[in-house]
């Protein structure tokens, strides 16, 4: 048996099942509709075909889904079985109810044929489909195993051919590699000789450059040493000049302080002499007036110290109030 035979058997089973289903549905509608019309209000007689159609629709759903599940190799569980048997028993009850109410056993038997045939056909079709699915699975497994064996044999042949080709290729590659290795050894020896020669030349050049660099560095160090010595001498000369300048500035400042202190002492000595007994010489009187002016003494007291008149002393104070005159008076006192 091949796939064509299996598809032919499945087609025959499917066509036969659906013929029985539609025949049973038509017979059920024709049988149950008058019964429903008798037990329905006159205004609702038109609803009599609804119940058989609903029950038959459930039968169609059960048969179709069982067909699909059987083809897929699945199982719907408990509820599809309940629905299948419930729809079958409902169809049987509805078809035999009228004859049962009339107590007509022959009519019950005749009307039970289609529902029973539908129930048995549904169960048998399901069993056939599952058996066909198992057979198809087994056939596919067998064909798969045969294909795998053929594929394995083909792979083994290909593997042997590849192995032989690889061995030949490896042999040729080994010969070529040995030839390349020999040529590479010759080239490497030549390259080593050339590299050794270049290395010797480079070492000689590096020694020469090192000697030149050492001489240049020595000259640079000597130049830097001379520069440092020159900078040191310049710094020392600069430091000596700065020290001498500081010493001169200190000497000038010290001399200035000494002149100021000497002028202060002389001024104090002039002012501490007391009133003059007679009119002092003009130079001495001028020094006393200048000292009194610097000490901010009154004109009268300066006149008493110098022995000159108040007017003359006032004229001298006026002269000292002028900037140039004041500076000249201070210098005159300091020079004295």
């Amino acid at each position: 048996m091949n796939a064509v035979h299996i598809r032919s058997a499945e087609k025959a089973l499917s066509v036969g099942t659906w013929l029985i289903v539609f025949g049973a549905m038509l017979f059920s509608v024709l049988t149950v509709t008058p019964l429903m019309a008798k037990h329905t209000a006159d205004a609702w007689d038109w609803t009599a075909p609804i119940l058989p159609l609903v029950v038959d629709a459930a039968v169609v759903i059960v048969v179709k889904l069982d067909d699909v599940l059987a083809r897929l190799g699945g199982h719907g569980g408990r509820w599809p079985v309940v629905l299948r048997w419930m729809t079958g028993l409902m169809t049987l009850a509805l078809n035999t109810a009228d004859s049962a109410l009339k107590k007509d056993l022959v009519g019950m038997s005749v009307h039970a044929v289609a529902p029973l045939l539908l129930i048995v056909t549904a169960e048998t079709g399901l069993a056939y489909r599952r058996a066909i699915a198992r057979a198809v699975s087994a056939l596919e497994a067998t064909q798969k195993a045969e294909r795998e064996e053929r594929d394995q044999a083909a792979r083994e042949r290909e593997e042997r051919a590849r192995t032989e080709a690889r061995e030949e290729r490896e042999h040729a590659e080994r010969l070529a590699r040995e030839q390349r290795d020999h040529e590479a050894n010759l080239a490497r020896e030549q390259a080593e000789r050339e590299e050794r020669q270049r290395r010797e030349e480079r070492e000689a050049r590096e020694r020469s450059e090192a000697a030149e660099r050492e001489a240049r560095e020595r000259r640079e160090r000597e130049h830097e040493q001379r520069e440092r010595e020159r900078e040191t001498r310049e710094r020392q000369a600069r430091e000596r000049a700065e020290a001498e300048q500081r010493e001169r500035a200190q000497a000038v400042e010290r001399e200035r302080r000494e002149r100021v202190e000497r002028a202060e002492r002389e001024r104090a000595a002039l002012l501490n002499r007391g009133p003059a007994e007679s009119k002092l010489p003009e130079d001495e009187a001028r020094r006393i007036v200048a000292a009194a002016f610097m000490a901010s003494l009154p004109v009268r007291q300066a006149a008493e110290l110098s022995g000159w008149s108040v007017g003359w002393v006032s004229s001298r104070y006026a002269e000292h109030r002028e900037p140039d005159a004041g500076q000249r008076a201070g210098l005159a006192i300091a020079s004295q």
Side-chain angles (χ1 to χ4, degrees), residues 56 78 191 194-195 258 336:
D56 293 338
R78 180 176 57 188
E194 294 176 355
E195 179 64 22
E258 290 176 355
Q336 296 295 326

Side-chain angles (χ1 to χ4, degrees), residues 178-195:
E178 291 176 355
Q179 179 65 25
R180 287 195 302 272
D181 292 341
H182 178 67
E183 294 175 355
N185 290 330
L186 295 177
R188 186 169 56 254
E189 292 176 356
Q190 180 65 24
E192 289 177 354
R193 286 193 297 270
E194 294 176 355
E195 179 64 22

Side-chain angles (χ1 to χ4, degrees), residues 61-81:
I61 292 173
V62 170
V63 173
K64 181 61 178 176
L65 293 180
D66 285 341
D67 185 12
V68 174
L69 287 175
R71 290 176 184 276
L72 296 176
H75 192 277
R78 180 176 57 188
W79 288 107
V81 178

Side-chain angles (χ1 to χ4, degrees), residues 1-15 71 132 136 139-140:
M1 174 162 289
N2 54 25
V4 177
H5 296 155
I6 293 173
R7 283 195 298 272
S8 177
E10 287 181 342
K11 184 176 181 180
L13 177 62
S14 179
V15 171
R71 290 176 184 276
I132 290 172
V136 169
L139 180 60
E140 290 178 350

